[in-house]
Amino acid sequence: MSGNTKTVVRFDHYINPGFQQRLAREPDIEYIELRQDDEATGWAAFERAHVYQISAAKDELAKQWWATAALLERAPNLLAVSSSGAGYDTSDAEACTKAGVLLVNQAGGNAQSVAEHTLGLMLDLSKRISETDRLLRSTDRSYRRESLMGREISGRTLGLIGIGEVGTRVAKLANAFGMTVIATDPNVDGDAVASRGAKKVELGDLLSQADIVSIHCPRIPTTTNMIDSAAFDMMKPGVVFITTARGGIHDEAALKAAMESGHVAGAGLDVWDVEPPPQDHPLLRRDNVVSTYHTAGVTSEARGRVAQYASDQIVHLLSGNRPPRIINPEAWPAYVKRYERIMGRTPA
């Protein structure tokens, strides 16, 4: 590699092979895959790294390798942190901004997969598919079909908390099923929400009106524990709760209490405070909970798109261009100065 080498580092979690294949087409990009247990090699690589492709899954990555102020201090040439998904739980956006480091994501790469999974959870709970499957596999034969009676989702009201890339696709699918869709999102005005297939409402109105509540917002300080005991109390009796966003947006203990009281009739949970959740987690014991292991976006199609989005964006920004999916645009002025100093030229 020449003195103009641009170094991309990541740890050895799964990533679609297209990521490395794309970078390999660039003669001036060095790609380094690290092991979390090899600290010496890892820190040496970060000393010369220009881009850190980071896992967004908080329980996949040891905290010493999170993109925090401490790590950034040991990576003097780092220009960008590239999250492996739309979320960025393992990256400190404020620390990146202070350091003049861009934080970018792959928003939209797995949106269709997550939206389909959301509809799958809704249908499963409404039609009691998993519950019936478990019962058929048991030795109990005392039930009648009517004891497993479900409900149609057509004609019901779906409340979306967040109507970005995923929420928009969920709204489209829900409309195709004949549902009424309402949404709350502080970043999207009423006209834009309407163009995405929903009616804009405030959070309190959504909670009190929706038959099914589905979470599609990022986990940030303002949304952490947003769905707490008070929020569950505001929901309609018999509500179904769905989340394919991030663990920590809803309070698991509060959900457990709301389900034990019968106020929440069912829950579809793809994300957890700890992933995977412990086997003795009380929510896993309930027949009216359908649980998955943060796999809503884990499809071959989504992983392929995310790898393409990430590698193309990395090549684009290392070539001196402004990347399309910046989480902290306020870092741009400081980033430009650092890019000029580190790369020896001005970015576009």
Side-chain angles (χ1 to χ4, degrees):
M1 290 285 180
S2 70
N4 295 320
T5 297
K6 305 160 185 173
T7 301
V8 177
V9 301
R10 63 174 295 273
F11 287 97
D12 57 353
H13 311 293
Y14 173 84
I15 196 167
N16 183 280
F19 179 83
Q20 185 174 356
Q21 292 165 4
R22 174 67 183 92
L23 297 184
R25 299 205 301 269
E26 304 297 321
D28 59 347
I29 290 183
E30 174 191 25
Y31 169 73
I32 301 176
E33 190 168 282
L34 303 167
R35 296 198 329 266
Q36 293 194 60
D37 61 354
D38 188 347
E39 292 195 26
T41 301
W43 290 122
F46 275 104
E47 287 178 4
R48 67 178 193 273
H50 296 102
V51 176
Y52 177 18
Q53 177 67 25
I54 189 171
S55 170
K58 60 184 176 58
D59 294 316
E60 244 179 28
L61 191 65
K63 287 196 173 181
Q64 66 177 325
W65 302 121
W66 288 25
T68 61
L71 181 139
L72 296 175
E73 286 177 5
R74 301 186 68 168
N77 297 309
L78 196 66
L79 294 168
V81 175
S82 171
S83 176
S84 63
Y88 46 94
D89 291 6
T90 56
S91 300
D92 184 331
E94 183 178 353
C96 288
T97 299
K98 287 181 179 179
V101 173
L102 294 185
L103 175 59
V104 300
N105 72 356
Q106 319 316 321
N110 65 7
Q112 185 63 31
S113 291
V114 177
E116 291 180 5
H117 197 94
T118 300
L119 261 291
L121 292 172
M122 279 186 224
L123 289 166
D124 192 322
L125 287 160
S126 297
K127 298 289 289 182
R128 301 175 69 176
I129 295 170
S130 290
E131 184 180 352
T132 301
D133 177 76
R134 288 191 293 268
L135 189 57
L136 286 173
R137 295 168 188 267
S138 74
T139 57
D140 182 6
R141 286 295 181 269
S142 63
Y143 53 85
R144 297 170 59 89
R145 288 189 301 158
E146 287 73 19
S147 66
L148 296 164
M149 189 177 295
R151 292 195 62 181
E152 296 176 351
I153 64 171
S154 177
R156 304 184 79 189
T157 298
L158 170 63
L160 303 176
I161 299 179
I163 191 163
E165 295 277 2
V166 175
T168 298
R169 288 167 172 80
V170 173
K172 181 179 180 180
L173 293 171
N175 281 314
F177 275 89
M179 303 184 79
T180 297
V181 185
I182 58 178
T184 185
D185 193 317
N187 301 312
V188 186
D189 65 27
D191 290 342
V193 170
S195 73
R196 300 177 189 188
K199 176 184 176 182
K200 184 176 175 70
V201 297
E202 297 301 318
L203 177 60
D205 293 329
L206 182 146
L207 296 176
S208 65
Q209 295 173 21
D211 299 303
I212 301 172
V213 173
S214 189
I215 308 296
H216 301 289
C217 61
R219 179 182 175 176
I220 54 178
T222 55
T223 64
T224 299
N225 283 325
M226 175 174 62
I227 307 302
D228 56 10
S229 295
F232 283 116
D233 287 344
M234 292 178 68
M235 295 181 192
K236 293 174 67 172
V239 70
V240 170
F241 177 74
I242 307 283
T243 180
T244 52
R246 283 291 188 274
I249 295 173
H250 73 283
D251 183 322
E252 291 182 354
L255 174 59
K256 171 180 173 287
M259 297 195 78
E260 286 176 343
S261 72
H263 190 76
V264 173
L269 308 175
D270 183 56
V271 291
W272 304 81
D273 287 342
V274 176
E275 294 176 347
Q279 283 188 308
D280 62 352
H281 196 297
L283 289 170
L284 293 178
R285 300 174 186 172
R286 301 193 62 87
D287 286 335
N288 55 348
V289 170
V290 176
S291 56
T292 52
Y293 172 26
H294 206 153
T295 54
V298 182
T299 63
S300 58
E301 295 86 357
R303 287 297 176 91
R305 280 192 297 269
V306 165
Q308 177 187 343
Y309 283 20
S311 55
D312 283 347
Q313 183 163 235
I314 287 169
V315 170
H316 189 70
L317 74 87
L318 287 177
S319 298
N321 301 295
R322 186 181 176 105
R325 294 178 294 277
I326 305 176
I327 298 299
N328 59 339
E330 61 275 18
W332 183 254
Y335 167 82
V336 169
K337 293 178 181 179
R338 294 186 66 249
Y339 187 97
E340 290 173 344
R341 176 175 57 81
I342 293 167
M343 306 303 288
R345 60 191 182 90
T346 302

